Amino acid sequence: MSTLTSTLEIQNSRRDFFRSTGLLSLASVAPTFVSSARAATSTDTADDPIFMSATKLAGLIRTKKISATEAVQAFIKRQEQVNDRLNAVVMNCYERALSEAKAADEKTAKGEFMGPLHGVPITLKDSLDTEGVISTGATVGRQQYIPKKDATVVSRVRKNGAILLGKTNTPEFTLGGLAGISTASNLLYGSSHNPYDLTRSTSGSSGGAGAIVAAGGSAFDIGSDWGGSIRGPSHNNGIAGIKPTSVRVPRTGHIVDFGGIFDLWQQLGPMCRRVEDLKLITPLIAGPDFRDASVSPVPWADPDKVELKKLKVAFCVDNGATTPLAQTDNDTKDTVRQVAKWLEEATTSVNEDAPQDVLKDLNAARGKLTSGDAWAFYKRLADKWGTKNFSPSVTERMKTMVPLSSAEVVEAWEQHDEGKSKMLDWMKAYDVFICPVANKPAQPIDVVPMPGGGGFGGPGSGWQYTGVFNTTGWPVVVVRCGTSTDGKNLPIGVQVVCNPWREDICLAVASYLETKSGGWKRPPV
């Protein structure tokens, strides 16, 4: 075969891929991070800066209806009002934030803008490196660690004008919490609390992020998701969150970064009160940084161009679990059914359908791989940072683990990949899959998680609904669509799942559902 023929075949294959995903017209877009001085359009009706979308707030700052300094001061005041109860923000940098806000206002006066997030105050999960600000990753060995540079996603939002107020709570290394505590918790900072009910879990591992965004203490946060760590907190705290397609967003500078057997499971994404902010922020942090070698230069498709009427939808209300602890409650099932009815009004078709056997096989393979080395990988992380006594929940977990043989690991990986292929084959009939995030709303903090449940949100958190989509690498958006009927008025989110690289469809559907449900609602704190 000639070099020219080979090259043409590769080009045609790439063109066919983009055509099949609707991205052909975008295939020439530069794959580096997106930055624009243009403001995004907001449909948010909130009038209080601390509760409005980041998109709307950025527009007000740009048009000088509010200054960046006023915005930063408002969010600092809100954090001071609520954080003693939530324990969501574990490290602040208020003085630096006020200095950056002043500089942003000076630029605004000249008609200069750093990007679409110009002047917007934010928090960031403590597992992300932040230059000049203590970044512990919730492990004792890093309790005074000050990074010399920002994580890639941090750098990108800051270059686009966002102003960091502080870091938010997470379990140690985002993977291990306090024994018997089912919320974002660690030995350094303790446990975070849900703003809708302080006795309830924030879920995790991005639990501090979910709580402070829901409570109006931050315009947005960026979380990480290895098994549901963006989606669980978005569900428990009633906000919107996105787990992008695997390897769309660089993991450089995250405490559990790129590489290794779990490489494709870890994704980073924004957590916000409104879906419109997910549309704005996700493409800003996406694209290769030429450090995380797995990241793919796949163009970003515009969610506003998705035609809902052409979409075919599948949904399920539970995952077929038979044990009482794992069964999905009626409020959650009713929320998913209501979502299906809303989508019947807007799409081509809606069918109750799910590849239950494939989902179970994927979860089984993932479970084997996760414990395959008896969590020696976790101990290596602890050794790297000098942590001698690490998370009690992990210590307990390791006592029961037996390493798999290399042959058993390879077999589990083959089952893992076979399941991914079967999922793609099943999804050929649909554009969207709707399912719960967890089997229940936020549970009491002291409810011990069920075995294999992820450990950070009580019954229903972790893998039974969420982990499988880390395994497939598919994009998922969570949006609040319901409320518990037990008198607690706890949020209930749903997962909007789509094929790889189709965040545009996820976001378009989530935006529609937000208009029907109202999305985020102010908590009582």
Side-chain angles (χ1 to χ4, degrees):
M1 181 184 293
S2 70
T3 302
L4 176 59
T5 301
S6 177
T7 301
L8 287 173
E9 287 187 355
I10 292 170
Q11 290 174 343
N12 287 335
S13 176
R14 184 170 184 267
R15 188 177 295 109
D16 288 342
F17 165 75
F18 284 120
R19 183 179 291 110
S20 69
T21 58
L23 299 174
L24 181 60
S25 63
L26 301 175
S28 62
V29 174
T32 53
F33 85 88
V34 179
S35 181
S36 171
R38 294 178 297 172
T41 302
S42 174
T43 59
D44 185 20
T45 59
D47 54 11
D48 188 332
I50 64 170
F51 294 122
M52 65 181 54
S53 70
T55 304
K56 183 171 184 177
L57 178 59
L60 293 182
I61 293 172
R62 180 177 294 269
T63 55
K64 302 179 184 179
K65 293 183 174 64
I66 183 174
S67 69
T69 298
E70 289 169 333
V72 166
Q73 290 171 335
F75 279 101
I76 290 174
K77 181 179 179 181
R78 180 61 175 166
Q79 288 188 11
E80 291 173 342
Q81 289 173 339
V82 302
N83 199 53
D84 281 351
R85 286 170 285 171
L86 299 181
N87 191 33
V89 179
V90 293
M91 181 63 58
N92 72 65
C93 49
Y94 294 160
E95 185 175 348
R96 188 182 84 171
L98 288 166
S99 176
E100 290 182 359
K102 180 181 178 182
D105 288 334
E106 290 171 353
K107 285 183 176 291
T108 303
K110 300 175 185 177
E112 300 174 359
F113 303 97
M114 295 180 68
L117 302 174
H118 184 85
V120 174
I122 68 168
T123 51
L124 292 165
K125 187 175 181 178
D126 195 34
S127 55
L128 289 164
D129 283 352
T130 46
E131 180 184 1
V133 179
I134 289 177
S135 304
T136 69
T139 191
V140 172
R142 282 180 37 141
Q143 60 184 307
Q144 296 297 324
Y145 177 66
I146 302 176
K148 294 182 180 179
K149 63 184 298 184
D150 286 329
T152 295
V153 294
V154 176
S155 174
R156 288 177 176 179
V157 294
R158 291 187 68 200
K159 285 178 179 177
N160 275 282
I163 297 174
L164 179 63
L165 300 179
K167 308 298 291 294
T168 49
N169 208 22
T170 178
E172 183 179 56
F173 297 124
T174 76
L175 299 169
L178 301 178
I181 301 295
S182 60
T183 193
S185 60
N186 58 69
L187 291 169
L188 283 176
Y189 297 124
S191 301
S192 295
H193 299 262
N194 191 304
Y196 293 90
D197 181 341
L198 296 174
T199 70
R200 301 278 171 151
S201 169
T202 61
S203 189
S205 60
S206 310
I212 201 63
V213 170
S218 172
F220 70 87
D221 205 302
I222 294 177
S224 62
D225 195 312
W226 192 76
S229 291
I230 289 171
R231 290 161 292 157
S234 295
H235 161 73
N236 275 29
N237 297 284
I239 62 173
I242 183 171
K243 181 194 78 65
T245 303
S246 178
V247 304
R248 184 184 279 282
V249 176
R251 286 78 49 93
T252 310
H254 186 260
I255 190 80
V256 183
D257 55 7
F258 49 84
I261 195 169
F262 308 126
D263 186 48
L264 301 183
W265 293 357
Q266 177 86 282
Q267 290 106 46
L268 309 183
M271 302 169 66
C272 316
R273 284 181 292 278
R274 294 295 176 193
V275 174
E276 67 182 24
D277 290 343
L278 304 181
K279 295 181 185 179
L280 173 66
I281 299 161
T282 310
L284 296 179
I285 63 175
D289 66 349
F290 304 100
R291 289 286 307 282
D292 183 340
S294 294
V295 174
S296 300
V298 177
W300 179 259
D302 186 354
D304 294 335
K305 294 182 179 179
V306 172
E307 297 181 57
L308 294 183
K309 266 298 179 188
K310 294 183 178 181
L311 301 180
K312 297 178 181 179
V313 180
F315 76 95
C316 74
V317 299
D318 63 50
N319 71 333
T322 56
T323 60
L325 194 60
Q327 288 176 352
T328 304
D329 73 1
N330 288 331
D331 284 343
T332 301
K333 291 180 180 179
D334 289 345
T335 297
V336 176
R337 290 190 181 106
Q338 179 60 69
V339 165
K341 290 179 181 178
W342 287 332
L343 289 171
E344 285 176 355
E345 302 168 5
T347 62
T348 291
S349 63
V350 178
N351 294 311
E352 187 164 2
D353 186 19
Q356 297 285 12
D357 290 342
V358 182
L359 293 172
K360 289 176 183 177
D361 289 346
L362 273 170
N363 275 326
R366 180 187 168 95
K368 291 177 184 177
L369 290 169
T370 301
S371 59
D373 69 350
W375 277 48
F377 78 93
Y378 192 98
K379 188 177 186 303
R380 286 195 298 274
L381 271 174
D383 290 344
K384 175 181 178 180
W385 295 107
T387 297
K388 304 300 182 185
N389 298 309
F390 45 76
S391 168
S393 68
V394 174
T395 302
E396 290 300 312
R397 194 177 302 165
M398 286 180 175
K399 290 179 182 178
T400 64
M401 287 184 176
V402 177
L404 300 179
S405 68
S406 59
E408 289 171 325
V409 170
V410 171
E411 181 183 20
W413 202 262
E414 289 171 349
Q415 293 170 349
H416 169 279
D417 287 349
E418 181 182 10
K420 289 172 66 176
S421 293
K422 288 180 178 178
M423 282 293 293
L424 286 169
D425 187 60
W426 176 79
M427 196 66 172
K428 287 177 182 177
Y430 303 107
D431 302 292
V432 183
F433 178 50
I434 303 292
C435 65
V437 184
N439 66 346
K440 297 176 183 177
Q443 294 297 289
I445 285 174
D446 58 354
V447 170
V448 179
M450 62 185 179
F456 308 127
S461 71
W463 296 353
Q464 73 163 347
Y465 281 117
T466 55
V468 66
F469 297 113
N470 297 88
T471 303
T472 64
W474 294 5
V476 185
V477 171
V478 170
V479 60
R480 178 177 179 167
C481 288
T483 302
S484 68
T485 59
D486 57 1
K488 297 291 186 180
N489 297 317
L490 298 170
I492 300 174
V494 300
Q495 292 190 98
V496 182
V497 184
C498 294
N499 275 303
W501 314 114
R502 295 318 304 261
E503 285 88 347
D504 58 326
I505 296 177
C506 287
L507 290 164
V509 171
S511 292
Y512 168 75
L513 296 177
E514 186 179 59
T515 67
K516 303 297 287 187
S517 69
W520 168 86
K521 294 174 176 58
R522 181 174 175 175
V525 294

